[in-house]
Amino acid sequence: MIRAATVDDIAEIRAMIRELAEYERAAEQVRVTEEQLHDALFGELPAAFALIAEDDESGQAVGFALWFPRFATWTGTRGMHLEDLYVRPHARGGGHGKALLACLAAVCEQNGYERFEWWVLAWNEPTIDFYKSLGVELLDEWTVCRLSGEPLKELAARAPAVLDQPPAL
């Protein structure tokens, strides 16, 4: 079963984020708190949304998908960015990942989102094969850029004074 996440799922979502980071060999990078997840998913201005995959027999959470809307300037339409998709190892092969992706595709269709995009690590061949089986197009010509930490602060310090107020989100 796939359902929208609720406030009661926050601890479980955080646990699965940690499990995903361990799988991706980056557990030391996880800093998110339950309070941050609460604000991001259920605050006054949600930054993201989440779905939960549950085992049909036990009702236990076996996976999640966390996404947020994005905007494509070339098409002038909104789209979806899937930040995380995770299914616990013992539940893989049970159709939960495919069901999560199908539900997200349905959200796209219902909202007129023309693009549904996400990243996958180049070494994660089982997942890449799974995505290809669904007809996903891999965009090899794009490189992900990230600015964080000290370089982000240094660039921000160069902002012209013209920027009186940051844009409201």
Side-chain angles (χ1 to χ4, degrees):
M1 179 175 98
I2 307 298
R3 61 173 177 77
T6 68
V7 172
D8 294 334
D9 295 311
I10 291 173
E12 199 67 30
I13 292 169
R14 184 172 181 268
M16 288 189 282
I17 289 170
R18 185 162 230 14
E19 292 170 27
L20 173 60
E22 287 171 6
Y23 174 75
E24 292 184 349
R25 307 171 191 156
E28 71 284 352
Q29 295 179 32
V30 176
R31 297 187 319 243
V32 69
T33 66
E34 289 184 21
E35 293 78 19
Q36 287 173 314
L37 283 173
H38 181 276
D39 290 346
L41 297 173
F42 304 104
E44 188 176 324
L45 293 171
F49 304 90
L51 297 177
I52 299 293
E54 289 183 344
D55 178 76
D56 289 336
E57 293 178 20
S58 69
Q60 296 296 309
V62 294
F64 82 107
L66 192 142
W67 66 276
F68 54 87
R70 57 187 302 172
F71 181 77
T73 57
W74 289 10
T75 63
T77 59
R78 284 186 173 229
M80 176 184 289
H81 177 80
L82 175 60
E83 180 65 17
D84 287 330
L85 174 73
Y86 178 72
V87 175
R88 289 183 159 143
H90 73 275
R92 292 182 188 154
H96 303 290
K98 191 177 287 186
L100 282 165
L101 288 169
C103 286
L104 292 171
V107 169
C108 289
E109 287 293 309
Q110 292 164 2
N111 289 288
Y113 295 174
E114 291 187 15
R115 292 182 181 170
F116 177 16
E117 298 175 331
W118 64 94
W119 304 336
V120 61
L121 290 167
W123 59 259
N124 195 346
E125 291 182 29
T127 301
I128 291 170
D129 291 343
F130 167 64
Y131 291 153
K132 285 180 179 178
S133 76
L134 299 175
V136 169
E137 174 187 9
L138 299 177
L139 303 176
D140 296 334
E141 68 274 10
W142 290 90
T143 299
V144 175
C145 298
R146 178 177 291 156
L147 189 61
S148 62
E150 201 54 39
L152 175 64
K153 290 177 186 175
E154 289 172 9
L155 185 59
R158 295 184 198 163
V162 176
L163 184 63
D164 293 332
Q165 191 173 17
L169 299 179

